[in-house]
Amino acid sequence: MTKYRRTSRTARVLLPGAAAAALLAGCAPGSGGPASASGPTPPAGVSPTAGSSVTVTPAPTAPAGKPAPGTLLVGDFGSDTVTFVDPARGATGSVKVGTAPYGLVVGADGRAWVATAEGVAVVDTATRQRLALVPYETDAGPVTTGEYRGGGMGIALAPDGRRVYVGVNVPGGNGTLEVIDTAALKVTDTVPVGRRPFDVDVSRDGAEVYATGHDSFDVTVVAAGTLEARRVEVAPYGTEGGLGSWLKPHYTAVRPSDGKLLLPFEGERLAVVDPRTGRTTIEPMTANTHQHGATVTADGTLLTVGTGPIDRDVDRGPSLTVRTPGGAERVYPLEGPHESVAVSKNGETAYVTGGFTRDGYWDGLSIVDLDTGDTRRLAAGSRPLGIAVL
């Protein structure tokens, strides 16, 4: 059994006896390991390697109509689909997009962009059809599934809708940020970034892109105009343990008021990063649990997902933290690990996906009333990770 210890600054790392596991250490306790080198066969005509051409699906003869307001779209990391979810009654249908979808984002035109192991799928949410699959220029290795699979992870859309940015994981090495022209449906540029780019975000003015490198303790700040990149280390506990450390960044939220980056760590520390100067300040948090997904509302309220304890003797269980711009926190317990979070348009409800990247995931969502804290579980999707409110 792998054992853990805390340093004097509560850092949690794998002990030397677990050196082999440390090379591919994940984010929270579990027996999950790297995905098998052999994976599902890509669809005919689709190659996961560099230089492939886009696969386009013919348009349907008649539209099905826009989804009802408040419909959710989740990426099924345990399958090859995205699932439409009615928050009141559950799944209402799925669309095949590509192996192990991770992050997704939806534009004002109703098109969803989904980062899969094979490429970025483009889905028309009105007709519920995959329109295209844009393969990566980066060679991310064989198409596989599981926590360590290569291919797209974080994904974001430029405010003007003209470009999509996707972080591509290259197992065993640094990742890339790929830029997709949304009209031409092709990759136009690639930029080196950190290891395992869990999350990608864009500044409100579209001038900068932020790729969060989980295994390299950093955020890569990329100028959208020139694609010049610079690394900002984000390691409030230090980098002890390297790849074997549990105390690495996961997801980033861009604060609307000033454009600073918010990265929660362990329900103990919030790293507030100024992307212009690279300076980080630390604010205390209260959930005391390993944290993954994060989002921020227009008024600056931060929501972040606690996946559960690293050390069960001292850490708390899964939760959703709701943090006001002034730093006051409400912590709502959740049943079992979760991964990502989205908020209803009226700001009253949070939707938390149960498809945790490690062991302990489940096929559904937790729906949290942000006023009362009342929580209910809704079966939907297959290990859902990414989520958007349509």
Side-chain angles (χ1 to χ4, degrees):
M1 178 180 294
T2 301
K3 296 182 179 179
Y4 303 89
R5 64 176 172 86
R6 290 177 181 263
T7 70
S8 59
R9 297 187 61 80
T10 70
R12 280 150 270 186
V13 300
L14 290 168
L15 289 172
L23 293 177
L24 285 172
C27 305
S31 58
S36 166
S38 61
T41 302
V46 177
S47 169
T49 58
S52 301
S53 59
V54 64
T55 300
V56 179
T57 303
T61 57
K66 292 182 178 180
T71 298
L72 309 175
L73 185 68
V74 299
D76 297 321
F77 192 59
S79 183
D80 59 358
T81 55
V82 292
T83 294
F84 293 82
V85 182
D86 181 329
R89 57 192 180 95
T92 62
S94 298
V95 176
K96 183 175 286 190
V97 291
T99 303
Y102 199 99
L104 59 85
V105 63
V106 180
D109 60 1
R111 287 189 297 174
W113 302 82
V114 187
T116 81
E118 301 170 28
V120 172
V122 188
V123 176
D124 186 321
T125 60
T127 62
R128 297 196 177 191
Q129 183 173 8
R130 190 184 82 174
L131 303 178
L133 182 69
V134 182
Y136 305 115
E137 290 294 321
T138 303
D139 184 357
V143 174
T144 62
T145 62
E147 180 184 4
Y148 302 98
R149 69 142 178 79
M153 297 186 75
I155 190 167
L157 183 65
D160 62 8
R162 296 173 60 186
R163 292 168 300 282
V164 162
Y165 303 97
V166 58
V168 179
N169 177 43
V170 178
N174 289 339
T176 62
L177 181 74
E178 298 206 355
V179 184
I180 296 174
D181 182 312
T182 59
L185 295 178
K186 67 177 183 179
V187 175
T188 59
D189 294 284
T190 63
V191 181
V193 295
R195 298 174 71 106
R196 291 181 73 199
F198 258 57
D199 199 13
V200 174
D201 298 271
V202 181
S203 62
R204 297 189 75 189
D205 61 4
E208 291 184 332
V209 184
Y210 312 112
T212 304
H214 176 270
D215 285 358
S216 47
F217 297 89
D218 59 23
V219 172
T220 302
V221 179
V222 179
T226 64
L227 299 182
E228 293 182 0
R230 51 193 172 84
R231 177 181 182 270
V232 177
E233 182 172 282
V234 187
Y237 294 87
T239 59
E240 180 183 355
L243 293 181
S245 172
W246 295 87
L247 305 176
K248 295 178 281 195
H250 295 86
Y251 296 82
T252 299
V254 181
R255 189 158 64 187
S257 61
D258 58 9
K260 290 185 179 180
L261 312 181
L262 307 177
L263 294 91
F265 285 78
E266 305 306 309
E268 296 174 342
R269 304 177 186 184
L270 178 67
V272 182
V273 180
D274 186 334
R276 293 170 291 277
T277 65
R279 294 176 180 172
T280 299
T281 58
I282 303 298
E283 300 177 7
M285 298 188 74
T286 61
N288 192 24
T289 188
H290 190 64
Q291 289 174 320
H292 275 209
T295 191
V296 66
T297 63
D299 69 355
T301 298
L302 174 69
L303 293 90
T304 184
V305 180
T307 69
I310 293 176
D311 184 340
R312 296 184 183 279
D313 292 334
V314 295
D315 298 336
R316 296 175 187 159
S319 63
L320 175 68
T321 291
V322 182
R323 181 185 178 92
T324 69
E329 293 188 349
R330 290 168 289 159
V331 180
Y332 300 133
L334 298 175
E335 181 183 347
H338 293 68
E339 186 69 23
S340 299
V341 58
V343 183
S344 62
K345 302 293 186 183
N346 62 12
E348 296 177 355
T349 307
Y351 307 105
V352 194
T353 58
F356 185 41
T357 52
R358 294 283 290 175
D359 292 347
Y361 59 84
W362 60 286
D363 296 338
L365 315 173
S366 285
I367 301 177
V368 183
D369 184 311
L370 294 177
D371 182 34
T372 66
D374 290 342
T375 302
R376 61 184 175 90
R377 286 160 66 96
L378 181 69
S382 174
R383 196 176 179 177
L385 285 192
I387 182 169
V389 180
L390 303 180

